[in-house]
Each structure stands twice: as C-alpha cells, then as structure tokens.
Amino acid sequence: MTDRLRTRCLVALAAQACFLLLSQACTQRPSGLLPGQQQPVQPGEPKQEQPGISRGRFPQGFLWGVATAGHQVEGHDKVSNWAAWAEAGRTTALPGRATDSWNRYAEDFDLARGMGLNAFRFSLEWARIEPRPGVLDGAAIERYRAMIRAAKAKGLEPVVTLHHFAYPAWLDTYKQGTGGYPGWEDLHTAAAFEQFARFAAREFGRDVRYWITLNEPNTQVILGYLTGVFPPGKVNPGAAAAVTRHLTLGHVLAYDAIHEEDPDALVSTNFFDLTHVSDPAAVFPGDSSREMLGQLLSWQGLDLMLGGAVLGRGSRKLDYMAFDYYYAWRWTEVQRMARQWEWALRPEGLLSAMKVHASRTGLPLLIAENGMATDDGKPRADGWTREAFLVHHVDQVRRAIAEGVPCLGYIHWSLLDNYEWGSYRPRFGLYEVDPRDPLLRRKATAAVEAYKAIATANDVPPALLEQHPRPSTRP
Ligand code: BGC
C-alpha cells in the first residue's frame, strides 16, 4: 500500500498531462451557460446571492455527511475485480469482513444520525447486483433497497455511488464471440455500465436524488493503468488513454440513462482533487515558478470528464461538481506523500480548490470526500488530530461560502476505519474499528463530538476552532 501511495503522488502530474493530451485531442470546452447555470465565480470575488444558496453561512439543508464504499466496508465480497485481485495475492491484507456493514448498515446509519448528520454517501456494488453477466441477484437488490430506505427513514439523504473502483470480476474475463469484456479497456464496459446505471435509477430512483456515477475516474486511471497498483495492474499509457475514454463515455451514458429514468435526479462524478498540480498559483500564491506549468495543465481532466463535447452527445453532463480533497503538496514535499498518514494537510487548499472548481464550472459543489489518515491509529508526526483536521477543513468550506461559492454539502471520509484498498493500516474513521476485534466494535474518536457540534449548529462555532487548534508546525 505504501508503495502504491508513493506512486500515486509521483504520477499525479503525469496523469494530468495524459488527460490534457486526450482532452485536447478530442474535446472542445463547452462555452456559455446552460439554463439554470450560474455565472462562474471568479476566485476571491463575491457573487450575488442566488435562491437556495446563501452567502456567508451554511445554507439551510446543507448536506452534512459521511462517505463509505461497498468494497471497503460491506465485507464478504467474492465477486468483484477487487476480490479477485486480493485472492491473487496482490494486496497486503484480504478484505474479509471489512466492517461487516453489509449486515450492520443500520447501526452505521445510527452513528451518523447520532452526530446530527443528514447525508450518507455509500455505493451500490455492481458486482453484488450482477454477479454474472445478465444475472441479477434479487437478495442483493433487496438488501440495497432496505439500505436506501433505512437511510431515508433515519433522516439521511442517500448520496449513491454506482462504481467505487470495484466492478464485477466477470468484466475482466467474460468472453462473448470474438469480443469480450476486458474491463474498462473495452468499449462494451461503458455500455454495460449504462445498463447498470439505468437499472439502479429505475429500481431506486424514487428514493435517491443524488447520484455519483464513477468514483474518482482519474484515480482509477492513474493507479490501475499508469502505475499498476490497483487492478488490473497495468503500466500502459495506451490502455490508460482507452480507459479514460471509456470511463468518460460510461459517465455520459449513465448520466443520460439516470435522467431518462428520473428527470429530477442530480448526477455527477467526483474527481480526486489535484488543483495544487493543475492550478498551483491558486493554491500557493506567490509561487510563480510553476505558474506556466499550472496553466498548461489547468483543469483539462475535468474538461474531459464534462464529456458532452467529447462524444457529441450534447452539453455538459454534470448537475453539480463533486470532488474529493485530501491534500496539497509542493514539489519539495513529494517524499512526504509516500504514505497516507504523511500526506501534506493544508486546509487552505480546500478553499482554493472550491474557488477554482466553482469558477470553472459555474456549478454548485459537493465535497464528496475529505479525510485524514493515521498509521494504524497512532498519532500523526505532524501533530494533526482528526478533530482539528475536521474543524479546520470545514472552516474553509465556511469561508468559501462566505465568498460566494455555492456548495451543497460536505461529506467526510470516512465514518469508520475500513479496508483501505489492500490494507487496514491507514485509518480514516471518525469511529475506530479494529479489524482484529471479533465484534468489530465502533469506537468514537474525539472527532465525533466535533462533527456533532458543527452539524448541529450548521456552522463552525468559533469556540471549536480554539478548542482544536491546528498544529503549530505548518507544512
Ligand atoms: C477513495 C477512497 C479512499 C480514500 C482514502 C479516495 O481516493 O475514493 O475509497 O479510501 O481516497 O485513500
């Protein structure tokens, strides 16, 4: 896992470049605003108040949530590409029971509700629903229906991801005639994903408003096809290019399918934020050495994923702009980025990213993930605690809103310590879970009380900032 993380940092730039080349080859940025879209906010420039979007305060109905992903928490996965990858010995640990949330989801929802939250992001595992090509598992479908309804009954808005890295193992092996499904390298996978999305919207659309089609397509390309540390373990720029195209197509097809089933749905895909790479001047003002590079790399990956122009199927295919913010590093800090618990934490980077994304898309934002790792629960060397991390990052969201950035919600990664794609060592949970504990008890960290205070006040109470100061050593 740690090597994987090192590579993740080192190749982020390469991947952006890859997106750049691809997008320039086949896209044209859509111009003008769509009906209902807002005029983009210029970084740092306050904008007029819009109905439903308040300035300076968290709007009423702001989504306070936590995120999980099926493969990382459900446990007992035997049918996904990730299960096959682990079985093949490609991970440090097997996922096993994970946090057993397949059986304990109601308890997890209660924990979220106990913090005063009103949203829960989780995924439907395509592999569980369609374990063999064209064969649907009725019991899995009913379990997900129960899950979605339980979330709603407990006052949690479900934010549903359709593809969080894991997909059915048969997509990597199934052959039909001379064609086949070699995962996302094949165009058919995009079509298969469209069918899955349509099915999910038809089945669950009544209870789900917020959809995320693909989780972090940029991470999937980088780790799966440029560094080979995620399945299918390839280091192949040609494959990365094909997968980028097919993920894009998959998103666009799924976006349309969901809207055909439910015109009121709100659909997005969430990026792993790389504003510090693509737009360093926004994150590190005054660091002019990288400005030209930043301009070169600026937001082309996002542009690509906006998708419509790529495929000539209309215009933008995002109803809101979702992104995941974890860190922002300077070039001199690349070594520090080798392990998740050494990531360079910079709350201000979230503010910059929000301004950049809002200004470039004109869309309301959703922070779909933001979180902090420890090394197996040990204190971090840089002094950050989970509660200080949470409070100071949410405070940056507050600032962004005060500057006029429209934002729908903040979703923290994660509710529980969980299976971190190959290992249980990095711990991201507001609740600790020890995978060795036979009872997999959920134990509150101090961040739980902090989050509760924020969600209950719908604000960041100043006393909380004082109570949880940021570490004196800044990166
Ligand atoms: C992923 C999560 C992961 C988290 C922490 C995100 O890139 O979406 O699944 O657990 O980062 O590494």
Side-chain angles (χ1 to χ4, degrees), residues 1 5 8 68-69 72 121 164-165 215-216 219 230 270 272 324 326 340 343 369 373 413-414 418-421 426 428:
M1 188 62 196
L5 292 169
R8 179 184 204 164
T68 61
Q72 294 180 269
R121 177 178 169 220
H164 198 120
F165 296 153
N215 178 70
E216 294 186 359
T219 302
F230 267 23
N270 57 322
F272 189 90
D324 302 349
Y326 283 91
Q340 277 147 310
W343 282 352
E369 288 180 32
W413 185 272
S414 182
N418 57 42
Y419 184 64
E420 182 51 37
W421 303 110
F428 280 90

Side-chain angles (χ1 to χ4, degrees), residues 306-370:
L306 290 175
V310 184
L311 303 151
R313 285 176 63 100
S315 195
R316 291 181 173 188
K317 300 291 181 180
L318 296 175
D319 297 326
Y320 58 96
M321 167 68 202
F323 70 97
D324 302 349
Y325 177 81
Y326 283 91
Y327 55 63
W329 46 264
R330 292 176 191 273
W331 298 112
T332 48
E333 293 166 342
V334 168
Q335 278 312 312
R336 279 194 54 192
M337 305 308 292
R339 301 179 175 86
Q340 277 147 310
W341 48 89
E342 292 177 5
W343 282 352
L345 306 181
R346 284 199 168 85
E348 298 77 13
L350 177 54
L351 175 63
S352 313
M354 289 178 75
K355 287 187 196 173
V356 167
H357 294 315
S359 130
R360 285 177 176 161
T361 65
L363 293 171
L365 309 180
L366 178 71
I367 293 137
E369 288 180 32
N370 170 237

